[in-house]
């Protein structure tokens, strides 16, 4: 079975945690790891309230099919300011990862067979196209990074040679410190597959 190390970090633009419009969920069971990262439009207390609604929904439904979950999150957020989100599930036995995304959460797998997952355009709670499932195989040593647009979405590890080294918590902290923007809430989830 694949061993994993995960970390979720988030930071509000204004400082207080109850003003962060980003939310994330990590749930690990015996044979699966579910990851979700959501970014509510805007920031501040109102965005945080919407983020809490989405986070509760994701925690209650983390075992559901990803396509159904994304459609359910869309319905859950109707009437709010809206959000973007990425959902991933890694099967720890067969090492297959599933991904569904709507909006501009960046999702990249670094390692033996790099993958950039492509989200559908749209805003949850307003209008979204039919979500699409993508799949990839992961290998020991691979690193998955999900990040909101509060972190630079394009960076080349060649220019940051130490960025993808160490445990998941160090990688996440380095992403926030070195690539975080000063104009928005920021969040990231790092999943490191054991060697």
């Amino acid at each position: 079975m694949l061993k994993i190390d995960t970390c979720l970090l988030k930071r509000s633009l204004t400082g207080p945690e109850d003003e962060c419009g980003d939310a994330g969920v990590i749930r690990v069971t015996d044979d699966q790891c579910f990851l979700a990262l959501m970014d509510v439009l805007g920031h501040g207390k109102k965005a945080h309230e919407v983020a809490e609604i989405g986070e509760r929904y994701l925690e209650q439904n983390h075992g559901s099919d990803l396509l159904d979950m994304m459609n359910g999150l869309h319905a859950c957020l109707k009437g709010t300011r809206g959000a973007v989100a990425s959902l991933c599930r890694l099967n720890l036995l067969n090492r297959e990862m599933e991904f569904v995304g709507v909006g501009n959460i960046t999702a990249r797998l670094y390692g033996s067979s790099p993958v950039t997952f492509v989200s559908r355009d749209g805003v949850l709670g307003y209008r979204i196209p039919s979500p699409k499932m993508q799949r990839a195989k992961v290998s020991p040593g691979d690193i998955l990074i999900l990040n909101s647009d509060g972190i630079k979405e394009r960076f080349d590890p060649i220019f940051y040679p130490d960025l993808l080294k160490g445990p998941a918590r160090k990688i996440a902290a380095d992403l926030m410190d070195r690539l975080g923007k000063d104009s928005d809430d920021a969040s990231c989830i790092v999943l490191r597959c054991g060697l």
Side-chain angles (χ1 to χ4, degrees), residues 72-110:
L73 183 60
H74 173 58
C76 174
L77 296 178
K78 284 203 174 184
T80 71
R81 59 177 54 199
V84 296
S86 287
L87 313 177
C88 291
R89 180 170 291 118
L90 173 60
N91 183 313
L92 301 175
L93 299 175
N94 68 14
R95 300 178 183 174
E96 184 172 89
M97 179 172 288
E98 298 176 330
F99 170 86
V100 175
V102 171
N104 63 346
I105 300 285
T106 301
R108 282 180 282 173
L109 183 65
Y110 297 90

Side-chain angles (χ1 to χ4, degrees), residues 3-191:
K3 294 184 189 278
I4 56 167
D5 175 27
T6 61
C7 181
L8 161 67
L9 290 181
K10 56 186 181 173
R11 176 192 75 213
S12 80
L13 173 64
T14 57
E17 189 174 323
D18 67 348
E19 293 185 7
C20 186
D22 289 5
V25 173
I26 299 174
R27 291 289 173 266
V28 180
T29 61
D30 289 341
D31 60 356
Q32 293 186 9
C33 176
F34 169 75
L35 309 166
L37 195 64
M38 184 176 75
D39 181 358
V40 173
L41 276 60
H43 55 271
K45 287 190 183 292
K46 298 277 187 198
H48 180 72
E49 290 169 7
V50 176
E52 286 185 315
I53 292 167
E55 188 172 4
R56 275 193 300 275
Y57 173 84
L58 293 167
E59 286 175 346
Q60 292 167 358
N61 293 280
H62 69 87
S64 302
D65 172 81
L66 294 186
L67 293 172
D68 292 342
M69 198 182 327
M70 187 64 84
N71 286 317
L73 183 60
H74 173 58
C76 174
L77 296 178
K78 284 203 174 184
T80 71
R81 59 177 54 199
V84 296
S86 287
L87 313 177
C88 291
R89 180 170 291 118
L90 173 60
N91 183 313
L92 301 175
L93 299 175
N94 68 14
R95 300 178 183 174
E96 184 172 89
M97 179 172 288
E98 298 176 330
F99 170 86
V100 175
V102 171
N104 63 346
I105 300 285
T106 301
R108 282 180 282 173
L109 183 65
Y110 297 90
S112 55
S113 298
V115 176
T116 298
F117 294 101
V118 179
S119 294
R120 303 293 305 263
D121 288 336
V123 177
L124 295 162
Y126 285 92
R127 179 179 287 223
I128 62 170
S130 296
K132 281 186 152 180
M133 181 81 73
Q134 296 169 64
R135 290 181 173 82
K137 284 294 230 184
V138 301
S139 299
D142 286 357
I143 298 168
L144 173 73
I145 297 177
L146 304 176
N147 61 272
S148 71
D149 65 351
I151 294 175
K152 292 178 188 171
E153 50 282 336
R154 301 244 190 282
F155 62 88
D156 190 331
I158 291 171
F159 298 112
Y160 300 93
D162 295 334
L163 192 63
L164 300 179
K165 295 194 185 316
R169 178 163 293 285
K170 179 192 175 299
I171 295 169
D174 285 349
L175 280 168
M176 297 284 275
D177 292 343
R178 296 166 73 181
L179 299 171
K181 298 177 183 174
D182 294 330
S183 57
D184 199 358
D185 297 332
S187 60
C188 66
I189 291 178
V190 175
L191 178 147

